[in-house]
Structure formats: structure tokens, C-alpha cells
Amino acid sequence: MIKYITETVDYLKDKGFDAPEIGIILGTGLGQLINDIEIIKEVSYNHIPNFPTATVEFHKGKLIYGKLAGKKIVVMQGRFHVYEGYSLQDVTYPVRIMEKLGITTLLVSNAAGAINLNFKKAELMLIEDHINLQGSSPLAFNGVEQLGERFTDMSAPYDAAINLAFKSIAAKHNITLHQGVYASVVGPQLETRAEYRMLKILGADAVGMSTVPEIIVANHLKLKVAAVSVLTDECDPDNLEPVDIGDIIGNAAKAEPNMITLFKELIKTL
Ligand code: HPA
């Protein structure tokens, strides 16, 4: 993998990706942050050597280099999911690239269903911890020890100082920011009522289909990480309605201005 990583990193450096400090994965509910970024260079994923091959959804996927609040950043516009058929190593490959480009902090957003019924649609949840239910690990491959510790510590995967800063920004801007445990499943099907009950018993406050692989690799690389979920649906097994993707997207859009405020203000503090 080292040979592939070097090739990808050399290509991006050559394109002008010059020592970014912060990496951002723009998930659902944060896409419009792009309007606040001073874009210096952008490259489609399908032009980047060794990037996972583009699916139909991914001809719009781009890696962006630019500035936000005076900081040099690299942004993933579009991420890879296990449910699209990518391996966990593919899904997390861009994190390894961003680290080699120079980032020391990774910020992530996603959409999730609220298992904790005190949390409401279109509210935000800061991820304090997670449960990996994707069935494998992005670190489960031959040669992983050449890239970092095989038995990566996960006692505190999310950066306490960044989370504290997120909480104080939310308070200052009157943004409801819950805190909780995010469980990652493979998807793409939504959960059954029995699965929502199980997730609650397991200790999850929210469930989604992304993020945990990237967080595991970020910890493997000793990056500081933080992640925020936009809660798009309420997963009440006793009153479950059929999933409405339009509603999910609508709730993500509703929460987006708050999500953007949190990330922009946070980056100022880093
Ligand atoms: N389950 C899994 N992933 C999700 C959900 C959900 O209810 N909502 C948004 N992403």
C-alpha cells in the first residue's frame, strides 16, 4: 500500500496540495460549507491515481485544496461507503492520503438516525464515542503495521479539546448539540424495528452507514478527530414509519446552516 500512497500523494503535491493542516470529510448536511472555502485547487476523484474507482454517484466526487479561516485545508466532497461495494481499505484510503499530505486534524460530518428519542429530527449530535457494527476493520490487512500500530488504541478516539470547543461554539450560537454514541452499520437498507431495539440496548444514540472506518484509520495515524451527525430521522421502533428519503434529505438541509456555523467557528480556533 505504501507504494500506492506515495504515488497518490506525489500526484496531489504536484497539483498544488501544499501542506494542508486540516482535513474535512463533507458528509450529508455540510455540503454547502464549500461556498465558504477559498478553493485553490480541485481534482475529481477519478483523476487521482489509486483512488477508489468512481461509481455512478462519484463522478461528482472531488478532493479540494483551499483555505478556510486562514487555514490550509483539504476537503473530501463526497465520501466512499461500504454499501457501494468498496472495501474498508478503499473507504479509508483518502484519510491516509490526507495524513501524508500533512493534516494533523480530521473533521467529519454525516447523517444519522436518532436512536435516542430525546433527540429530534434536524438536530445535531456530537459523536463522543462509537460502536463499529460493519463486521470488519479497515486495519485488518497484511502490512498494516508498516503504516502504524496494528493494535490501535481506541480508548479516546475523538479529541476531547475539539469536542469541548464544539460545545462552547454551539452554546454561544444557540445551536442544540447533543452528544452521544454513533453506531455504524453497513446499510444500504435501513434498520428493522428489531434492529433499532437492539441498537438502543447496545448503547447507541444514533445510527448511520459511514464515518467509523475513517475514524479508526485517523486513530491509526494518530490524527486528532471530531465528528458531528445531523439527525435526519427518529428511529422509534414502536412508531416506525416507512423511510422517506426526501424527508431525510430535507432534515439534513434544515440543519445545514447550524452544521456550517459549528465547523467554520471551530476551524477558527484550531
Ligand atoms: N439508519 C441508518 N442510517 C441512517 C439512518 C438510519 O435510520 N438515517 C440516516 N442514515
Side-chain angles (χ1 to χ4, degrees):
M1 194 186 292
I2 291 173
K3 185 174 149 278
Y4 291 125
I5 291 174
T6 307
E7 204 173 72
T8 308
V9 169
D10 287 349
Y11 170 87
L12 291 167
K13 282 189 176 162
D14 202 47
K15 290 274 172 206
F17 285 62
D18 173 34
E21 304 155 64
I22 301 163
I24 305 174
I25 302 178
L26 289 186
T28 312
L30 191 61
Q32 298 301 318
L33 181 68
I34 205 71
N35 299 326
D36 293 295
I37 296 169
E38 181 197 324
I39 297 177
I40 295 169
K41 190 77 206 175
E42 54 178 49
V43 189
S44 291
Y45 289 159
N46 47 8
H47 291 150
I48 304 176
N50 310 326
F51 247 51
T53 16
T55 60
V56 183
E57 271 188 63
F58 266 94
H59 38 234
K60 63 177 202 291
K62 281 184 216 155
L63 199 65
I64 293 165
Y65 173 73
K67 282 194 175 171
L68 185 60
K71 306 278 181 353
K72 294 198 242 177
I73 61 172
V74 56
V75 178
M76 287 181 70
Q77 190 177 38
R79 62 143 63 84
F80 302 95
H81 298 92
V82 179
Y83 66 69
E84 294 167 297
Y86 296 109
S87 70
L88 285 162
Q89 286 75 38
D90 282 345
V91 166
T92 52
Y93 187 75
V95 177
R96 298 193 178 282
I97 298 307
M98 292 191 284
E99 190 265 342
K100 279 281 179 290
L101 285 170
I103 69 163
T104 52
T105 302
L106 180 69
L107 305 175
V108 182
S109 76
N110 64 37
I115 300 290
N116 183 330
L117 298 177
N118 297 318
F119 301 174
K120 300 295 167 215
K121 290 179 190 183
E123 290 180 340
L124 301 177
M125 186 190 93
L126 182 62
I127 302 182
E128 296 230 289
D129 208 346
H130 72 225
I131 302 173
N132 177 16
L133 293 174
Q134 294 193 327
S136 187
S137 163
L139 307 183
F141 65 93
N142 187 16
V144 70
E145 69 281 2
Q146 287 157 19
L147 300 171
E149 191 72 46
R150 181 191 298 270
F151 300 105
T152 294
D153 176 57
M154 293 295 281
S155 59
Y158 298 84
D159 189 80
I162 297 180
N163 279 3
L164 208 59
F166 263 134
K167 289 177 206 174
S168 91
I169 293 162
K172 190 168 148 209
H173 292 265
N174 276 316
I175 294 170
T176 302
L177 181 64
H178 300 294
Q179 292 134 53
V181 173
Y182 172 93
S184 67
V185 294
V186 171
Q189 76 284 355
L190 278 292
E191 288 69 38
T192 64
R193 289 167 295 163
E195 286 166 340
Y196 284 135
R197 287 191 186 102
M198 172 193 77
L199 288 163
K200 189 173 193 111
I201 292 166
L202 292 181
D205 294 294
V207 57
M209 304 173 192
S210 68
T211 303
V212 168
E214 293 99 316
I215 300 297
I216 292 172
V217 167
N219 276 268
H220 187 232
L221 300 172
K222 301 194 185 305
L223 297 176
K224 289 190 274 184
V225 279
V228 180
S229 296
V230 46
L231 303 170
T232 53
D233 50 318
E234 291 163 21
C235 307
D236 179 358
D238 298 321
N239 296 287
L240 197 61
E241 311 250 304
V243 62
D244 179 343
I245 296 297
D247 196 39
I248 286 186
I249 293 169
N251 287 323
K254 251 188 240 169
E256 191 150 11
N258 285 340
M259 187 80 117
I260 289 173
T261 301
L262 287 185
F263 276 71
K264 263 173 35 184
E265 294 299 315
L266 178 85
I267 289 167
K268 285 185 195 164
T269 72
L270 292 177

